Amino acid sequence: MLRVLAVDDEVHALSELAYLLRRDDRVEEVLTASDGVAALQDMVAMIGAGERLDCVFLDIRMPGLDGLDLARLIGAFPSPPRLVFVTAHDDRAVQAFELEAVDYLLKPLRPDRVAEAVRRVESATYGAQAAEAPMDDVIPVELSGRTSFVPQHAVAYAEASGDYVRLHTAEGTHLVRMSLAALERRWAASGFIRVHRSTLVSARHVTEMRFDDGRMVLRVGATTLPVSRRHARRVRDQLVRQFRPAPPSLPPAAGPEDGPGRP
C-alpha cells in the first residue's frame, strides 16, 4: 500500500485531494502540506527518520517554491518518491513529464482520474521494486573477530535494538549495526513487512495470522509477534495478496480433431 504526500496552497483543493486519496484502498496514509517549503521540510524529516514516502501529489502553481521547482529538488533525493502533478492549468504538461511525472491531473478533480493516478503510482512503485529486487541479499555479521554471512532467506524476522537490528534465524540471532528502517528499505521488495515500529517480518516465514482480544498477531516459527493497530490493515492485505492461490487454469478448448468420434 502507498504512503503519499499531498501538497497544495489552496485549503479547499488540498482537502478535496486528501479526501479522494484516503478513500482509495491502495493508499495506506495521506500526509498534507500547504506549500512547497513545508513539503520539502517534511520530506527531509522523513528521510532523516528513515520513513517511506511513495509519491507526492503536487500542485504546480504555488507562491514561493512552486511545484516544478520542488519537483527538481525532489529529483535529487537518493530514492525520490514518484510525482503526480495536480493543477488547474494544462500548459505545464510537457515540463511535468520532463521531470518524469507518473501522471498529470487537471482540476476540478474527478474521482476516476485520481484513482487512475494511484494505479499508475502503484504500478510504477511496485513494478520497479520487483525488477530491482536481488535474488537473495547477504548481511555480514562481525563477532569476536570473525565475519559470518547471514542470507536474507534465512531471516524469519528482525527487531530493532537501539542502534542495532537483531536478525532472528533458525540457527540463532545476529546483531547488526544498522537501523530497522534501512533494513526495511533494503528488503521490502523481497517480502519483508513492517508489523510494528520495532519489528520486521519475512512473509515467507509466517505460518499463522490470527486475532487475540481484537489484536492481530502472527506466528513465525515458534514465536508469536504482535502487529500494531497502525500496521494491521497493510499487513493483512499484503499477506492475503501474497498467498492468494492462483486461479485454476482452464483446459484447452477442444479442436475439431478432439471431437467424440476421434480415438
Side-chain angles (χ1 to χ4, degrees):
M1 295 178 70
L2 301 170
R3 192 166 188 257
V4 305
L5 173 65
V7 187
D8 200 312
D9 63 304
E10 298 177 5
V11 175
H12 175 73
L14 181 59
S15 177
E16 180 186 20
L17 175 57
Y19 168 76
L20 292 173
L21 290 170
R22 286 180 179 130
R23 64 186 287 192
D24 194 306
D25 290 340
R26 296 164 295 187
V27 177
E28 171 189 357
E29 185 176 7
V30 180
L31 308 170
T32 60
S34 57
D35 59 65
V37 173
L40 184 60
Q41 292 172 339
D42 288 348
M43 282 184 277
V44 170
M46 288 181 212
I47 292 173
E51 296 180 5
R52 188 184 92 250
L53 182 65
D54 299 303
C55 182
V56 181
F57 282 73
L58 184 57
D59 184 31
I60 290 183
R61 294 191 178 179
M62 295 185 293
L65 186 64
D66 74 8
L68 294 175
D69 289 336
L70 178 57
R72 294 184 183 99
L73 293 173
I74 293 172
F77 287 2
S79 299
R82 308 290 172 181
L83 294 174
V84 173
F85 285 107
V86 184
T87 181
H89 309 277
D90 60 2
D91 58 348
R92 301 290 188 91
V94 173
Q95 290 172 282
F97 285 107
E98 285 176 350
L99 292 168
E100 300 183 6
V102 174
D103 208 344
Y104 187 92
L105 299 177
L106 286 175
K107 299 177 182 177
L109 296 175
R110 300 197 332 258
D112 62 315
R113 278 294 289 121
V114 174
E116 172 61 17
V118 171
R119 185 198 66 77
R120 294 183 185 186
V121 171
E122 185 181 50
S123 176
T125 301
Y126 295 116
Q129 286 182 356
E132 294 166 5
M135 291 300 293
D136 197 10
D137 194 13
V138 175
I139 295 287
V141 178
E142 297 286 344
L143 181 63
S144 302
R146 300 176 61 184
T147 302
S148 300
F149 297 94
V150 181
Q152 177 196 79
H153 73 266
V155 178
Y157 66 100
E159 291 181 299
S161 180
D163 294 331
Y164 292 79
V165 171
R166 187 173 296 279
L167 306 176
H168 293 260
T169 70
E171 288 73 32
T173 65
H174 308 272
L175 205 57
V176 183
R177 189 176 178 85
M178 68 187 307
S179 70
L180 193 68
L183 186 65
E184 180 183 18
R185 290 193 299 272
R186 182 166 173 171
W187 285 357
S190 299
F192 279 76
I193 313 169
R194 179 73 75 103
V195 301
H196 191 277
R197 63 185 178 86
S198 61
T199 314
L200 191 67
V201 170
S202 170
R204 77 175 72 183
H205 290 275
V206 175
T207 56
E208 183 181 63
M209 176 177 67
R210 68 176 189 270
F211 289 85
D212 285 346
D213 296 326
R215 300 295 297 270
M216 180 186 290
V217 296
L218 301 179
R219 187 80 171 173
V220 181
T223 304
T224 300
L225 298 173
V227 179
S228 69
R229 295 189 188 280
R230 175 185 176 186
H231 295 91
R233 177 181 170 187
R234 180 170 58 84
V235 170
R236 181 200 62 203
D237 290 349
Q238 189 163 339
L239 287 175
V240 169
R241 186 167 57 243
Q242 177 157 332
F243 295 111
R244 180 183 292 125
S249 57
L250 296 175
E257 68 279 7
D258 299 319
R262 301 286 294 186

